[in-house]
Amino acid sequence: MPDPLLRIEDLRTHFFTPEGVVKSVDGVDLTVTPGRTLAVLGESGCGKSVTARSILKIVDRPGRLVSGRMLWTRPDGSIADLASLPPTGPAIRAIRGREIAMIFQEPMTSLGPITSIGDQISETILLHHPISKAEAKSRTIAMLRRVGIPDPEARIAAYPFQLSGGMRQRAMIALALCCAPRLLIADEPTTALDVTTQANILDLMRALQAEDGMAMLFITHDLGVVAEIADEVAVMYLGRVVEQASVDAIFHAPRHPYTRALLRSIPRPGSRARLEAIRGSIPHPLARPAGCAFAPRCDQAIPGLCDTTPPDAYPTEAGSVRCHLHA
Amino acid sequence: MRDYIIRRILYMIPTIIAISVIAFTIIRLPPGDYLTTVIAELSASGAAVDSGTIAALRDRYGLGDPSYIQYLKWISRIVLHGDFGLSFEKNVPVNALIWDRLGATFGISILTLLFIWAFAFPIGIFSAVRKYSMGDYVVTFFGFLGLATPNFLLALVLMYVSVRYFGQSVGGLVSPEFIDTAWSWDKAIDLVAHIWLPIVVIGASGMAALIRIMRANLLDELYRPYVVTARAKGMSEFSLLLRYPVRVALNPFLSTVGWMLPTLVSGEIVVSVVLSLPTTGPMLLRALLSQDMYLAGSIILIASLMTVLGTLLSDILLAWVDPRIRYQ
Ligand SMILES: Nc1ncnc2c1ncn2[C@@H]1O[C@H](COP(=O)(O)OP(=O)(O)OP(=O)(O)O)[C@@H](O)[C@H]1O
Ligand code: SF4
Ligand SMILES: [Mg+2]
C-alpha cells in the first residue's frame, strides 16, 4: 500500500445544541490513498457530511471538532494535521480549494445566486495562483470545456439560475477542480439529479479523476454508485466507520452485520433473494446506545457484551471492521 | 438591462398620469371653485376685485369648463410651460415659491439617505455576523429605541442638548444672520453645524429599521450552502461575507431610495415644523390649512413624481446588482 494521502484518526465532531450534545461524528477512522476513490456509505444522518466538512474545517456552529487527528500529506511531502489548524486561519485556507476541494449535495443552492459562474471559478483560481485576470479567465473557459459545458466562452457569463441542474453540477465540478486539487470530496454530488444526468456526472468525474490522478472521497448512500465509482469503501453507522475494505470485499465478503444488512436491503441484478429492510430504526442522535451503536438492530448481537462495551476496530485481510464478532 | 429600463420607464407613465389626476382632484377638493377662494382671498387682503381680473382668472383656469377640460388645461400648462399656477395666499406664481423649498427637501433627503446607509450597512452586517453578542444586543436596544421614539421628541431633545451644552443656535438650516446672505465659507460651516440635526432626527427611525432589515436578511443568507462553497474555496471570512451573502442581502438598501422621499416630504412635516426647516413639508401643511390649493397640489405632484423617479432609480439599482431581476 502506498503512503496515505489523508489519514483520519478518531475524529470527533459534536454539535453543542440547547437540547444536548449531538455526537454526529464520534470516533471516525479513515484512510484515503492517493489517486484512489474512497466511498463513504451510510444511511441519512450517520455523519457523512459532517465528516467531510470536518476535513475542511467548515463545520457550521454549534458544531466543533472536539478531538482527533487528520494527517494530510502536502504536495511537498510534509504532513499537516488539519485538526490542529485554526478554522479561519491562512493555513487551512491555503489548503481549501487548492489541495482539497469539495462538491456539495445541492447544485441548486451551492453556487452564489447573483455571481456569474465564470466569476466564481476565476475568483478561486486567482485566490490560489499569482496570475493575471485574463489568464484566469482562459483557464476558467478551459475548465468549463473539460466538464462538458457547451459554448464555454459564452457560458462564463451565465448565472446559476440560467443553467439546468446537471449543468450547474458541472459548473460546481469545474469550480472544485479549477485548481487541480489532490483530493476531491464529493458529498452526494448526484443525489439531487435525475438518473440520466446522474450517470453522466459520474462518468465525467471518473474521467476527470483518470486525467488528473486525484484522490476522491465520495459520499453516498447509494450502493449502485459505490459499485460504479469506488476502489475502497468505508461504511458509517451513527458517527463511526464500522467497516472499511476494498469495494470487492465489501460486496462479496462483507464482515460487519450492518454492511450485510445494507447489502440485503438493495436489489441485486441476477439475484432472486427477497429484499429485507433493516429491522428497527436509527437511534436518535441524542440517545446513542451504550455499547455497539448497532446492537438494538443487530441479529447477531451478543447479550451482555454488545449492549455494554463498544467494539474496537479489528483488522481484516482487506481493511478493518468494528464488531465484537471479529475480535 | 436596457430593455428592463425601458420597460420600467413605460410602466411609470400610467402611474404619473394617475398621480397628476389625484393632485388635481385635491386642488378641486375645497368647496366652491377657486375663483370664490381667490375673490375671498383678494377681498380679505383689501384689494379691489375688478371684473377684468376675474374674467382673466376664469379663462386661465378654465373655470366653467367640465372637469376634464380643466385638468387638461392645468396639466398642459405644467408640461408645456412649466407653469404651476398661482399661489392664492401669496398671490405669486407657485414657481416662485417651491423650488428653493424642494431643493432643501431633496438635499436633506439625499444627505439623510447617505447617513442612513453609512451607518446601517456596517452595523447591520456586524449585528448579523455577531448574532446574540453583546454588541448585537446594544445595537438592537438602540435600534428599538430609535424606532420607538417619535421624531419630534428626538428633535426637541437634540435641540435642547445642543443649545444647553454646545451653545449653538438650532432650528433652520443656517443661523439667522446668514439667511439671505451670499454663500461663503462661514455660511457653509454654519450650514454643516445645523444640518446634522435634522439628518439625525429624520434618519433615526429609518436607520433603525434598515439595520433590522439588513440583519434579518443577512441572517437568512449567512448559512446558505453557497456561503459554505465560498468558504471551501479558501476565501477569507471577510471577503466571502462581502462578496456573497451581503450582496444578496443588499436589496432593501437599494429599495430605500424609493421610500425615503415620501417619508421625508410627508412624514417629517412635524419634524420640519419643529426644527423650522425651509423644506416643502411645512409649506405643504400651511398651504393645506389656508386652502392654497395650487400650491398644495403642485407640491404633492412634484414630490410624488420625485418618488416615482426614486423608485425607478432603486429598481434600476436592484436590477444592476441582482441578475435574477434583470433577466426575469
Ligand atoms: N448544524 C447542526 N446542528 C445540529 N445537529 C446537526 C447539525 N448538522 C448536522 N447535525 C447532526 O449531525 C448528524 C449527521 O448529519 P450529516 O449531515 O453528517 O448526515 P449525513 O450522513 O450527511 O446524512 P444525509 O445522507 O442525509 O446527508 C445528524 O444527526 C444531524 O442531526
Ligand atoms: S458488535 Fe455486536 S451488536 Fe455490534 S454489530 Fe457486532 S455483533 Fe452486532
Ligand atoms: Mg449529507
Side-chain angles (χ1 to χ4, degrees), chain A residues 48-49 105 187-188:
Chain A
K48 305 183 294 291
S49 298
Q105 195 163 349
D187 188 352
E188 308 200 33

Side-chain angles (χ1 to χ4, degrees), chain B residues 29-47:
Chain B
L29 223 47
D33 61 25
Y34 322 133
L35 215 49
T36 333
T37 323
V38 176
I39 293 164
E41 291 277 340
L42 289 180
S43 35
S45 62

Side-chain angles (χ1 to χ4, degrees), chain A residues 256-257 292 294-295 298 300-301 306 311 323-325:
Chain A
H256 197 279
C292 171
F294 190 56
C298 181
Q300 290 156 277
C306 291
C323 172
H324 287 304
L325 294 177

Side-chain angles (χ1 to χ4, degrees), chain B residues 58-262:
Chain B
R58 185 172 281 284
D59 180 57
R60 175 169 187 168
Y61 297 119
L63 298 179
D65 293 334
S67 300
Y68 71 92
I69 301 275
Q70 291 184 29
Y71 167 77
L72 287 177
K73 280 196 176 179
W74 174 74
I75 198 71
S76 50
R77 292 189 82 85
I78 291 176
V79 175
L80 299 177
H81 307 290
D83 176 4
F84 285 89
L86 212 57
S87 160
F88 298 139
E89 191 187 11
K90 305 252 169 51
N91 201 21
V92 290
V94 167
N95 266 333
L97 294 172
I98 55 172
W99 293 107
D100 282 356
R101 293 265 174 169
L102 280 168
T105 296
F106 290 116
I108 292 176
S109 303
I110 287 162
L111 289 174
T112 307
L113 190 67
L114 294 178
F115 165 73
I116 290 179
W117 275 354
F119 284 87
F121 184 71
I123 295 175
I125 294 176
F126 168 83
S127 69
V129 173
R130 296 262 181 278
K131 188 174 65 153
Y132 303 140
S133 67
M134 200 56 213
D136 181 31
Y137 284 125
V138 171
V139 169
T140 306
F141 173 75
F142 279 105
F144 281 118
L145 205 66
L147 279 176
T149 313
N151 283 343
F152 72 90
L153 191 67
L154 186 59
L156 290 174
V157 170
L158 285 180
M159 283 166 88
Y160 175 79
V161 169
S162 58
V163 172
R164 181 82 177 73
Y165 296 101
F166 299 99
Q168 206 188 16
S169 84
V170 287
L173 286 181
V174 288
S175 300
E177 65 266 28
F178 285 110
I179 293 174
D180 293 332
T181 61
W183 281 101
S184 63
W185 270 116
D186 288 345
K187 185 171 177 176
I189 292 167
D190 189 63
L191 176 72
V192 172
H194 279 80
I195 207 166
W196 69 269
L197 204 147
I199 289 176
V200 169
V201 170
I202 297 169
S205 64
M207 182 154 76
L210 203 57
I211 288 175
R212 301 301 302 164
I213 297 171
M214 184 71 195
R215 180 179 182 277
N217 274 28
L218 191 54
L219 279 177
D220 261 4
E221 299 298 327
L222 228 38
Y223 302 99
R224 295 279 167 105
Y226 67 82
V227 180
V228 181
T229 306
R231 197 169 284 134
K233 297 202 281 200
M235 291 178 88
S236 74
E237 286 298 306
F238 185 73
S239 49
L240 76 87
L241 179 73
L242 291 185
R243 180 120 172 87
Y244 289 98
V246 166
R247 269 189 70 193
V248 180
L250 208 56
N251 290 11
F253 266 77
L254 306 178
S255 324
T256 32
V257 183
W259 59 254
M260 245 346 265
L261 279 172

Side-chain angles (χ1 to χ4, degrees), chain A residues 20-58:
Chain A
V21 181
V22 179
K23 296 180 177 176
S24 307
V25 171
D26 200 34
V28 159
D29 302 295
L30 278 179
T31 304
V32 182
T33 311
R36 316 252 294 167
T37 299
L38 171 66
V40 177
L41 179 70
E43 286 167 286
S44 188
C46 68
K48 305 183 294 291
S49 298
V50 174
T51 303
R53 284 161 186 241
S54 299
I55 296 171
L56 284 179
K57 309 285 292 250
I58 51 171

